[in-house]
Amino acid sequence: MKQVFLLAVVALVCATAASAGIVRHTGAAARQTIDNTYCGEQRLFGFIRALTKHGSNYRLRFDPAQFLSGETANQAAAQDGAVSPGQPVPNDNYVVDETRRTYLYTATATTRIRVLVQGGNITNGNPVSVQTLARLLHGKHPIKLFEGLNTGFWLGVHIDHACSLTQQYHP
């Protein structure tokens, strides 16, 4: 009876830890749940510098930057000389990209990608495949974009896996 009680306690602790996010899957188990539970553990703003085919996946070279708003944006822009001290930045946002250093992530067919297309959803973007995004980045035009891809992207990351990419709208 004591062993059954102990096993029940251990199972309860493990289930509670897993549901609270204390226990994380690694390796194959994590890869299976990337698009569900763990997508976007990190969310980064920045610029896609390259997206190249590698086997059945793609190698994403991502240059992180800071997407700032409000007084933080105003002060950073004034420090950079982009606006006069005390003046607001246009559209209440300012991007700081201190370096052009890139980091490598893997994008797959399951990476959720949204870009801004003409006549499409400007608020959330429209879904495209990783293949379509690669073509756009290589100067092909399979779809008509609302604005260039140089507006930046929000990248949802799980370890080294790009599980989502959403283009940032700039008014």
Side-chain angles (χ1 to χ4, degrees):
M1 183 69 166
K2 198 182 233 185
Q3 290 173 335
V4 171
F5 177 74
L6 183 59
L7 286 174
V9 169
V10 168
L12 179 61
V13 168
C14 289
T16 302
S19 68
I22 296 168
V23 175
R24 294 281 190 227
H25 295 288
T26 58
R31 296 257 183 243
Q32 292 173 356
T33 60
I34 284 170
D35 290 320
N36 300 323
T37 310
Y38 302 117
C39 180
E41 285 178 310
Q42 287 187 332
R43 190 163 145 82
L44 309 168
F45 175 78
F47 303 95
I48 298 172
R49 300 297 182 206
L51 184 63
T52 55
K53 185 90 166 128
H54 183 74
S56 61
N57 296 324
Y58 285 79
R59 286 187 171 169
L60 169 67
R61 285 281 176 190
F62 192 78
D63 171 14
Q66 295 291 316
F67 187 88
L68 307 174
S69 298
E71 190 57 32
T72 305
N74 297 338
Q75 287 191 7
Q79 288 173 350
D80 290 348
V83 298
S84 299
Q87 295 300 307
V89 294
N91 299 314
D92 194 38
N93 67 70
Y94 183 68
V95 174
V96 177
D97 190 6
E98 303 263 346
T99 71
R100 295 205 28 112
R101 180 176 179 172
T102 63
Y103 297 91
L104 179 65
Y105 296 94
T106 299
T108 67
T110 62
T111 300
R112 293 185 310 272
I113 302 169
R114 299 182 79 80
V115 297
L116 304 173
V117 299
Q118 287 184 4
N121 184 339
I122 300 303
T123 305
N124 298 316
N126 290 77
V128 297
S129 68
V130 67
Q131 296 90 347
T132 299
L133 181 59
R135 291 186 68 209
L136 288 165
L137 290 163
H138 287 103
K140 307 283 191 270
H141 303 285
I143 57 175
K144 290 188 178 203
L145 294 173
F146 177 76
E147 56 189 358
L149 299 176
N150 60 347
T151 59
F153 280 81
W154 291 95
L155 169 65
V157 175
H158 175 69
I159 306 173
D160 63 349
H161 180 82
C163 47
S164 66
L165 281 161
T166 305
Q167 185 180 6
Q168 174 63 46
Y169 168 68
H170 280 280

mmCIF file of all heavy atoms in Angstrom, residues 75-98:
data_model
loop_
_atom_site.group_PDB
_atom_site.id
_atom_site.type_symbol
_atom_site.label_atom_id
_atom_site.label_comp_id
_atom_site.label_asym_id
_atom_site.label_seq_id
_atom_site.Cartn_x
_atom_site.Cartn_y
_atom_site.Cartn_z
ATOM 1 N N GLN A 75 13.984 58.124 -26.654
ATOM 2 C CA GLN A 75 15.319 58.351 -26.094
ATOM 3 C C GLN A 75 16.400 57.667 -26.921
ATOM 4 O O GLN A 75 17.465 58.238 -27.159
ATOM 5 C CB GLN A 75 15.368 57.904 -24.637
ATOM 6 C CG GLN A 75 14.612 58.857 -23.736
ATOM 7 C CD GLN A 75 14.875 58.583 -22.269
ATOM 8 O OE1 GLN A 75 15.714 57.776 -21.907
ATOM 9 N NE2 GLN A 75 14.139 59.285 -21.421
ATOM 10 N N ALA A 76 16.142 56.442 -27.373
ATOM 11 C CA ALA A 76 17.137 55.739 -28.191
ATOM 12 C C ALA A 76 17.367 56.475 -29.508
ATOM 13 O O ALA A 76 18.506 56.636 -29.956
ATOM 14 C CB ALA A 76 16.687 54.300 -28.457
ATOM 15 N N ALA A 77 16.292 56.948 -30.125
ATOM 16 C CA ALA A 77 16.416 57.674 -31.389
ATOM 17 C C ALA A 77 17.170 58.985 -31.187
ATOM 18 O O ALA A 77 17.993 59.371 -32.026
ATOM 19 C CB ALA A 77 15.037 57.933 -31.990
ATOM 20 N N ALA A 78 16.927 59.669 -30.072
ATOM 21 C CA ALA A 78 17.646 60.913 -29.780
ATOM 22 C C ALA A 78 19.127 60.625 -29.559
ATOM 23 O O ALA A 78 19.991 61.359 -30.048
ATOM 24 C CB ALA A 78 17.033 61.600 -28.556
ATOM 25 N N GLN A 79 19.444 59.540 -28.859
ATOM 26 C CA GLN A 79 20.847 59.168 -28.640
ATOM 27 C C GLN A 79 21.544 58.853 -29.960
ATOM 28 O O GLN A 79 22.718 59.138 -30.126
ATOM 29 C CB GLN A 79 20.936 57.958 -27.710
ATOM 30 C CG GLN A 79 20.598 58.273 -26.283
ATOM 31 C CD GLN A 79 20.530 57.014 -25.410
ATOM 32 O OE1 GLN A 79 20.562 55.893 -25.910
ATOM 33 N NE2 GLN A 79 20.425 57.224 -24.107
ATOM 34 N N ASP A 80 20.807 58.284 -30.908
ATOM 35 C CA ASP A 80 21.374 57.945 -32.211
ATOM 36 C C ASP A 80 21.372 59.133 -33.171
ATOM 37 O O ASP A 80 21.872 59.023 -34.282
ATOM 38 C CB ASP A 80 20.595 56.786 -32.848
ATOM 39 C CG ASP A 80 20.808 55.468 -32.131
ATOM 40 O OD1 ASP A 80 21.718 55.375 -31.281
ATOM 41 O OD2 ASP A 80 20.049 54.515 -32.419
ATOM 42 N N GLY A 81 20.733 60.242 -32.773
ATOM 43 C CA GLY A 81 20.658 61.412 -33.645
ATOM 44 C C GLY A 81 19.574 61.313 -34.700
ATOM 45 O O GLY A 81 19.535 62.115 -35.637
ATOM 46 N N ALA A 82 18.675 60.351 -34.565
ATOM 47 C CA ALA A 82 17.594 60.183 -35.536
ATOM 48 C C ALA A 82 16.475 61.203 -35.337
ATOM 49 O O ALA A 82 15.756 61.523 -36.283
ATOM 50 C CB ALA A 82 17.033 58.768 -35.463
ATOM 51 N N VAL A 83 16.299 61.687 -34.103
ATOM 52 C CA VAL A 83 15.362 62.767 -33.790
ATOM 53 C C VAL A 83 16.045 63.703 -32.807
ATOM 54 O O VAL A 83 17.011 63.318 -32.133
ATOM 55 C CB VAL A 83 14.026 62.251 -33.176
ATOM 56 C CG1 VAL A 83 13.283 61.343 -34.147
ATOM 57 C CG2 VAL A 83 14.248 61.557 -31.848
ATOM 58 N N SER A 84 15.528 64.906 -32.705
ATOM 59 C CA SER A 84 16.059 65.853 -31.718
ATOM 60 C C SER A 84 15.623 65.417 -30.330
ATOM 61 O O SER A 84 14.528 64.862 -30.168
ATOM 62 C CB SER A 84 15.529 67.259 -31.996
ATOM 63 O OG SER A 84 15.947 67.686 -33.272
ATOM 64 N N PRO A 85 16.458 65.680 -29.311
ATOM 65 C CA PRO A 85 16.065 65.324 -27.947
ATOM 66 C C PRO A 85 14.703 65.937 -27.593
ATOM 67 O O PRO A 85 14.429 67.091 -27.919
ATOM 68 C CB PRO A 85 17.178 65.921 -27.084
ATOM 69 C CG PRO A 85 18.369 65.948 -27.998
ATOM 70 C CD PRO A 85 17.807 66.253 -29.365
ATOM 71 N N GLY A 86 13.852 65.113 -26.999
ATOM 72 C CA GLY A 86 12.519 65.553 -26.609
ATOM 73 C C GLY A 86 11.474 65.382 -27.699
ATOM 74 O O GLY A 86 10.282 65.551 -27.450
ATOM 75 N N GLN A 87 11.890 65.035 -28.907
ATOM 76 C CA GLN A 87 10.947 64.845 -30.014
ATOM 77 C C GLN A 87 10.544 63.369 -30.112
ATOM 78 O O GLN A 87 11.354 62.482 -29.861
ATOM 79 C CB GLN A 87 11.569 65.294 -31.333
ATOM 80 C CG GLN A 87 11.852 66.780 -31.391
ATOM 81 C CD GLN A 87 10.574 67.580 -31.225
ATOM 82 O OE1 GLN A 87 9.597 67.364 -31.928
ATOM 83 N NE2 GLN A 87 10.579 68.496 -30.268
ATOM 84 N N PRO A 88 9.295 63.113 -30.506
ATOM 85 C CA PRO A 88 8.871 61.716 -30.655
ATOM 86 C C PRO A 88 9.351 61.119 -31.975
ATOM 87 O O PRO A 88 9.585 61.828 -32.948
ATOM 88 C CB PRO A 88 7.345 61.815 -30.638
ATOM 89 C CG PRO A 88 7.060 63.175 -31.194
ATOM 90 C CD PRO A 88 8.203 64.055 -30.732
ATOM 91 N N VAL A 89 9.473 59.814 -31.980
ATOM 92 C CA VAL A 89 9.815 59.103 -33.214
ATOM 93 C C VAL A 89 8.555 58.946 -34.060
ATOM 94 O O VAL A 89 7.450 58.912 -33.529
ATOM 95 C CB VAL A 89 10.426 57.707 -32.924
ATOM 96 C CG1 VAL A 89 11.759 57.832 -32.225
ATOM 97 C CG2 VAL A 89 9.474 56.841 -32.131
ATOM 98 N N PRO A 90 8.700 58.874 -35.378
ATOM 99 C CA PRO A 90 7.530 58.649 -36.234
ATOM 100 C C PRO A 90 6.879 57.301 -35.933
ATOM 101 O O PRO A 90 7.562 56.307 -35.685
ATOM 102 C CB PRO A 90 8.115 58.651 -37.649
ATOM 103 C CG PRO A 90 9.456 59.286 -37.536
ATOM 104 C CD PRO A 90 9.930 59.047 -36.135
ATOM 105 N N ASN A 91 5.580 57.273 -35.937
ATOM 106 C CA ASN A 91 4.788 56.049 -35.748
ATOM 107 C C ASN A 91 5.048 55.340 -34.428
ATOM 108 O O ASN A 91 4.780 54.157 -34.292
ATOM 109 C CB ASN A 91 4.998 55.084 -36.918
ATOM 110 C CG ASN A 91 4.574 55.691 -38.232
ATOM 111 O OD1 ASN A 91 3.498 56.281 -38.322
ATOM 112 N ND2 ASN A 91 5.426 55.592 -39.230
ATOM 113 N N ASP A 92 5.609 56.049 -33.469
ATOM 114 C CA ASP A 92 5.852 55.527 -32.119
ATOM 115 C C ASP A 92 6.673 54.245 -32.093
ATOM 116 O O ASP A 92 6.496 53.396 -31.231
ATOM 117 C CB ASP A 92 4.535 55.322 -31.364
ATOM 118 C CG ASP A 92 4.781 55.119 -29.869
ATOM 119 O OD1 ASP A 92 5.679 55.790 -29.313
ATOM 120 O OD2 ASP A 92 4.101 54.279 -29.259
ATOM 121 N N ASN A 93 7.587 54.073 -33.062
ATOM 122 C CA ASN A 93 8.497 52.943 -32.952
ATOM 123 C C ASN A 93 9.837 53.285 -33.574
ATOM 124 O O ASN A 93 9.939 54.149 -34.440
ATOM 125 C CB ASN A 93 7.907 51.660 -33.554
ATOM 126 C CG ASN A 93 7.724 51.729 -35.046
ATOM 127 O OD1 ASN A 93 8.694 51.735 -35.794
ATOM 128 N ND2 ASN A 93 6.474 51.784 -35.484
ATOM 129 N N TYR A 94 10.848 52.604 -33.070
ATOM 130 C CA TYR A 94 12.216 52.832 -33.519
ATOM 131 C C TYR A 94 12.962 51.507 -33.394
ATOM 132 O O TYR A 94 12.828 50.807 -32.388
ATOM 133 C CB TYR A 94 12.881 53.909 -32.661
ATOM 134 C CG TYR A 94 14.277 54.271 -33.093
ATOM 135 C CD1 TYR A 94 14.518 54.924 -34.289
ATOM 136 C CD2 TYR A 94 15.366 53.954 -32.290
ATOM 137 C CE1 TYR A 94 15.807 55.263 -34.680
ATOM 138 C CE2 TYR A 94 16.654 54.290 -32.666
ATOM 139 C CZ TYR A 94 16.870 54.946 -33.870
ATOM 140 O OH TYR A 94 18.149 55.277 -34.256
ATOM 141 N N VAL A 95 13.711 51.158 -34.413
ATOM 142 C CA VAL A 95 14.451 49.896 -34.420
ATOM 143 C C VAL A 95 15.932 50.184 -34.217
ATOM 144 O O VAL A 95 16.504 51.030 -34.904
ATOM 145 C CB VAL A 95 14.231 49.127 -35.739
ATOM 146 C CG1 VAL A 95 15.115 47.893 -35.801
ATOM 147 C CG2 VAL A 95 12.766 48.743 -35.879
ATOM 148 N N VAL A 96 16.516 49.474 -33.272
ATOM 149 C CA VAL A 96 17.956 49.568 -33.018
ATOM 150 C C VAL A 96 18.570 48.232 -33.417
ATOM 151 O O VAL A 96 18.204 47.194 -32.874
ATOM 152 C CB VAL A 96 18.253 49.870 -31.529
ATOM 153 C CG1 VAL A 96 19.755 49.884 -31.278
ATOM 154 C CG2 VAL A 96 17.605 51.173 -31.102
ATOM 155 N N ASP A 97 19.482 48.291 -34.366
ATOM 156 C CA ASP A 97 20.190 47.085 -34.811
ATOM 157 C C ASP A 97 21.682 47.384 -34.663
ATOM 158 O O ASP A 97 22.322 47.879 -35.579
ATOM 159 C CB ASP A 97 19.830 46.742 -36.257
ATOM 160 C CG ASP A 97 20.346 45.376 -36.682
ATOM 161 O OD1 ASP A 97 20.887 44.637 -35.837
ATOM 162 O OD2 ASP A 97 20.209 45.053 -37.872
ATOM 163 N N GLU A 98 22.216 47.085 -33.494
ATOM 164 C CA GLU A 98 23.591 47.462 -33.154
ATOM 165 C C GLU A 98 24.641 46.740 -33.998
ATOM 166 O O GLU A 98 25.684 47.277 -34.283
ATOM 167 C CB GLU A 98 23.864 47.187 -31.673
ATOM 168 C CG GLU A 98 22.899 47.898 -30.750
ATOM 169 C CD GLU A 98 23.428 49.206 -30.202
ATOM 170 O OE1 GLU A 98 24.632 49.459 -30.311
ATOM 171 O OE2 GLU A 98 22.620 49.964 -29.670
#
